[in-house]
């Protein structure tokens, strides 16, 4: 189904291009009024480099720091230190980068300003804790493997942290903080995006302890004591602005689909269930809603989760797409893709996956059974064998995931639209 693959590329590349933070950051900074003293930039997250680059085109800064994922820096930025760190689990570089950020704001006083640029991924990239690194990493692994949703994960991580749950914002006082946020969290909750380093936390200790009990987390007495520490109750010196979100990503995808000739429908921009179940449900919805006379695109955005049951290689978007393959098998004119807007999906070099009506049969011809692959969490290698990996490279943004199911009636002429190939989409 080469035509549907070309349409998929047109949809996800166009949607991600419009989600790049450059224009959004510059627009948000129209409201930035720095004090008479120093202005320091602290940028954190997968989109940190691009956000900081855009900010430097708009304001003058007295130094600062960019903390981003390994491989996501795109070169030096004038006056700014650039440090790369681990994701999705914090590493020693995450701790070191966070300590450096704290050093850069500790000497600020009245009249000074912090421009805090925040994007998804900060929960791992920006981290400091009184726990030993290995113990902290073990708790994070438990959270990521048990099937907890991102809000549950963040409730625990922020209370173990010295920079989350508003603690970094508190450390900046008395300097004023102007925070520009690229949201990868459903509902754009500031206290949940990257675990809210400069936002007052809305959750309670009781809710956090409930997460620990629900998933049977193994926590030391020191970790339990850290969970009980109070978080900042108010941050009057912090002003925050959300400049991009998964909702915008979905709406852009819908516009592109309509331009290609599809009837497009956004089912939700708050998908948060288990990845393979979401893929199956989206594929079934496409088969249920398709009509012989009309092209159809069903769209959802959000952040699904993967429950680890095997030792394979993959990510939530690859698993979501692969789970749809048996349902679409033999259904001519159907396809489904899912991508991470940041260009990375789990610990892989792929952004996501694409399947169509022939993927299931192609895999079976090679002796590959989809249920067994999913049980082993090895979607990457299966999609690789089927030619279904989507590889974009780091994009410079991070507003969560986009999943689209496509139906084009067999025999119906397709619109001639320009297509962005993967080679052209190097940002």
């Amino acid at each position: 189904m080469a035509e549907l693959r070309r349409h998929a590329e047109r949809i996800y590349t166009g949607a991600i291009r419009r989600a790049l933070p450059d224009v959004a950051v510059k627009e948000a900074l129209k409201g930035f009024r720095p004090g008479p003293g120093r202005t320091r930039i602290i940028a954190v997250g997968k989109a940190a480099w691009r956000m900081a680059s855009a900010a430097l085109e708009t304001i003058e800064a007295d130094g600062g720091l960019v903390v981003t994922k390994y491989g996501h820096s795109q070169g030096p930025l004038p006056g700014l230190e650039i440090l790369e760190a681990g994701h999705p689990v914090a590493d020693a570089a995450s701790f070191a980068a966070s300590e450096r950020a704290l050093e850069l704001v500790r000497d600020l006083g009245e009249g000074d300003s912090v421009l805090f640029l925040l994007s998804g991924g900060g929960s791992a990239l920006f981290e400091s804790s009184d726990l030993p690194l290995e113990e902290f990493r073990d708790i994070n692994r438990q959270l990521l493997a048990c099937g907890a949703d991102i809000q549950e994960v963040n409730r625990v991580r922020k209370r173990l942290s010295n920079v989350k749950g508003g603690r970094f914002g508190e450390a900046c006082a008395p300097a004023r903080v102007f925070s520009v946020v690229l949201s990868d969290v459903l509902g754009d909750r500031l206290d949940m995006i990257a675990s809210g380093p400069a936002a007052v936390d809305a959750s309670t200790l009781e809710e956090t302890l409930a997460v620990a009990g629900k998933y049977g987390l193994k926590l030391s007495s020191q970790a339990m004591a850290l969970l009980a520490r109070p978080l900042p109750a108010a941050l009057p010196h912090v002003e925050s602005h959300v400049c991009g979100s998964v909702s915008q990503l979905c709406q852009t995808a819908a516009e592109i689909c309509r331009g290609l000739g599809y009837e497009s429908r956004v089912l939700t921009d708050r998908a948060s269930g288990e990845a393979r179940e979401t893929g199956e449900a989206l594929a079934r919805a496409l088969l249920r809603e398709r009509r012989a006379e009309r092209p159809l695109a069903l769209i959802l955005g959000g952040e699904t989760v993967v429950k680890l049951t095997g030792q394979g290689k993959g990510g939530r978007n690859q698993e979501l797409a692969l789970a749809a393959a048996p349902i679409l098998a033999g259904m001519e004119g159907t396809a489904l893709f899912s991508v991470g807007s940041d260009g990375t999906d789990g610990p892989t070099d792929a952004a996501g996956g694409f399947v169509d009506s022939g993927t299931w049969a192609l895999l079976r011809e090679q002796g590959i059974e989809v249920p067994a692959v999913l049980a082993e969490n090895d979607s990457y290698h299966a999609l690789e064998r089927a030619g279904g990996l989507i590889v974009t490279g780091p994009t410079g943004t991070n507003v969560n995931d986009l999943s689209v199911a496509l139906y084009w009636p067999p025999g119906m002429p397709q619109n001639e639209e320009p297509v962005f190939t993967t080679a052209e989409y190097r940002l």
Side-chain angles (χ1 to χ4, degrees), residues 222-241:
Q222 184 183 11
M224 291 299 294
L226 291 178
L227 289 183
R229 287 187 305 170
L231 294 168
L235 296 168
H237 60 293
V238 176
E239 179 182 348
S240 297
H241 300 266

Side-chain angles (χ1 to χ4, degrees), residues 336-410:
L336 184 149
F337 72 85
S338 188
V339 296
S341 61
D342 63 343
T344 58
D345 185 36
T348 77
D349 60 354
F354 172 93
V355 299
D356 60 25
S357 59
T359 300
W360 182 77
L362 182 59
L363 289 173
R364 293 205 77 188
E365 288 172 5
Q366 302 176 66
I368 300 172
E369 297 292 343
V370 171
V373 169
L374 291 174
E376 189 58 24
N377 301 117
D378 200 28
S379 53
Y380 180 94
H381 292 115
L383 289 167
E384 185 178 41
R385 296 283 291 273
L389 287 177
I390 295 174
V391 179
T392 64
T395 65
T397 192
N398 185 33
V399 288
N400 238 307
D401 302 338
L402 174 69
S403 306
V404 181
L406 300 172
Y407 172 67
W408 194 277

Side-chain angles (χ1 to χ4, degrees), residues 135 138-140 142-143 212-213 215-221 223-224:
E135 181 179 353
D138 176 68
I139 294 171
N140 272 272
Q142 293 182 58
L143 287 164
Y215 296 105
L217 300 181
K218 297 176 181 178
L219 302 174
S220 67
S221 58
M224 291 299 294

Side-chain angles (χ1 to χ4, degrees), residues 22 44 64 66 75-76 88 113 134 148 194 212 223 241 243 248 272 274 279 284 298 334 357 360 378 394 404:
D22 306 55
V44 173
V66 174
S113 303
E134 281 311 308
H241 300 266
C243 69
Q248 296 172 10
S272 60
E274 205 274 330
R284 289 194 183 99
L298 300 181
T334 63
S357 59
W360 182 77
D378 200 28
V404 181

Side-chain angles (χ1 to χ4, degrees), residues 77-89:
L77 291 171
L80 302 184
E81 301 173 43
I82 299 177
L83 299 175
E84 294 184 333
H87 184 275
V89 177

